[in-house]
Amino acid sequence: MKINFIGTGSGVISSNRFFTSFLIDSNGYKLLVEAGDGITGILLARNIDINQINGLLISHLHRDHAGGFEGLITQMKLRQRKLPMKVFVQNKIKPVLELNLLQSYIFPERLGFDFDIVGFEEDQKFSISESLFCKSKENNHLLKYEKYKSDEKFIISSSSFLFGEDGLNLFYSGDIGDIKDLLLFKDEPVTHIITETSHIKIEQLIEFLDNHYRLEGIYLTHIPEELEMSILAFHKTLNDDLRNKIVITSDGMNLELKS
Ligand SMILES: [Zn+2]
């Protein structure tokens, strides 16, 4: 499994880091994970052909994760895409994305390529491609909005994921609500984790992961500009074993994960 970090920043716009997003390449199948506001321009600037991306997975509807969705599909149409495109989102989110596309005057039958939004449940295993599967779990990231839920049209949905390929199990936490969200896949043979540094203190994060998992790699993303220096400084204080496992990601970074 190859990972290309498109963006590694937090939800606050920054000139060094785009919003957190990455491309997984699993035996040639390209899955984009997260499509924040401005994703299409960033992909083009990185020489990534948006028409060669096979699928998109979105964890939740905050603009730094989903704000570029309609624009991305629009640009695929305008750039005469022919390959089929699948979007994977939790079932609750699906009608929101469908309506947003419609209200961007994007009609599936006018796209010129097969387009499918595939819904999954809060806790479900599903196939992304022949070699890549995914498990979803609902996390607590949006719990703070529960009090606004008087209108049934108001959707609260945020997922964490486990990606599996040939003995390799990559936990992508997405944005979390609290540290307990990092236990969502504690019963799985997690080998690697991509997690965030905006909603949890780095010291607490590393100690917790070290106590609960036997990980080969820890990839830190969603890095707030104002915390970057302290995250780098903390990394230097770790023992060799931990320090070698932890990667503070940066935009454009490429990784090859092996089981
Ligand atoms: Zn968020």
Side-chain angles (χ1 to χ4, degrees):
M1 184 188 291
K2 292 184 201 145
I3 308 280
N4 178 352
F5 287 92
I6 307 302
T8 57
S10 73
V12 182
I13 202 156
S14 137
S15 55
N16 324 329
R17 293 176 189 269
F18 179 68
F19 300 132
T20 292
S21 173
F22 54 93
L23 252 183
I24 295 179
D25 185 321
S26 174
N27 293 315
Y29 184 97
K30 295 184 183 65
L31 177 74
L32 180 66
V33 181
E34 314 287 23
D37 187 15
I39 186 74
T40 310
I42 293 287
L43 290 166
L44 291 177
R46 300 275 166 73
N47 290 318
I48 293 165
D49 183 351
I50 57 170
N51 285 349
Q52 296 300 316
I53 294 172
N54 304 93
L56 166 67
L57 175 80
I58 292 175
S59 66
H60 65 294
L61 290 176
H62 269 147
R63 299 296 80 189
D64 55 324
H65 293 255
F69 166 70
E70 299 82 13
L72 178 63
I73 305 303
T74 302
Q75 292 302 324
M76 286 174 173
K77 175 182 191 290
L78 295 177
R79 295 170 77 93
Q80 272 115 45
R81 182 186 175 101
K82 293 284 170 256
L83 269 187
M85 174 72 189
K86 272 189 182 170
V87 178
F88 302 90
V89 286
Q90 205 184 100
N91 274 322
K92 280 196 272 184
I93 293 181
K94 193 176 159 179
V96 179
L97 292 189
E98 284 169 344
L99 182 63
N100 286 356
L101 278 184
L102 220 57
Q103 291 297 188
S104 308
Y105 310 106
I106 294 295
F107 306 91
E109 67 270 24
R110 294 171 63 101
L111 279 173
F113 57 90
D114 283 342
F115 178 78
D116 199 8
I117 303 185
V118 181
F120 53 80
E121 284 302 312
E122 284 187 3
D123 185 348
Q124 191 187 330
K125 182 176 177 179
F126 54 96
S127 273
I128 302 266
S129 72
E130 270 172 36
S131 61
L132 184 68
F133 75 81
C134 185
K135 279 186 185 177
S136 60
K137 295 262 191 195
E138 177 81 8
N139 66 41
N140 287 327
H141 177 53
L142 304 178
L143 212 61
K144 58 193 171 217
Y145 305 136
E146 205 73 34
K147 61 183 173 191
Y148 301 106
K149 221 177 159 184
S150 54
D151 182 344
E152 62 176 27
K153 289 203 288 294
F154 180 60
I155 301 299
I156 294 180
S157 163
S158 177
S159 302
S160 298
F161 303 99
L162 186 75
F163 297 106
E165 180 204 87
D166 268 351
L168 194 140
N169 288 283
L170 169 66
F171 174 10
Y172 168 53
S173 70
D175 287 6
I176 60 173
D178 56 54
I179 202 157
K180 289 196 294 296
D181 284 334
L182 295 173
L183 294 175
L184 286 170
F185 293 103
K186 70 176 187 319
D187 298 328
E188 303 280 352
V190 179
T191 52
H192 301 77
I193 185 167
I194 296 177
T195 189
E196 58 117 325
T197 51
S198 291
H199 303 94
I200 185 167
K201 282 210 168 66
I202 179 88
E203 296 83 353
Q204 199 189 3
L205 171 72
I206 299 304
E207 191 191 348
F208 194 83
L209 291 177
D210 197 38
N211 284 337
H212 289 91
Y213 292 97
R214 291 285 151 261
L215 294 165
E216 291 164 38
I218 298 172
Y219 307 96
L220 302 179
T221 184
H222 214 286
I223 299 171
E225 204 166 16
E226 72 278 10
L227 293 182
E228 182 157 351
M229 296 313 278
S230 61
I231 289 171
L232 287 165
F234 174 73
H235 188 241
K236 288 206 181 95
T237 68
L238 295 168
N239 66 45
D240 287 357
D241 180 45
L242 259 180
R243 198 176 56 245
N244 293 333
K245 269 188 215 174
I246 299 170
V247 176
I248 297 161
T249 63
S250 55
D251 287 24
M253 182 182 274
N254 285 289
L255 297 173
E256 183 155 8
L257 307 185
K258 293 201 172 102
S259 53

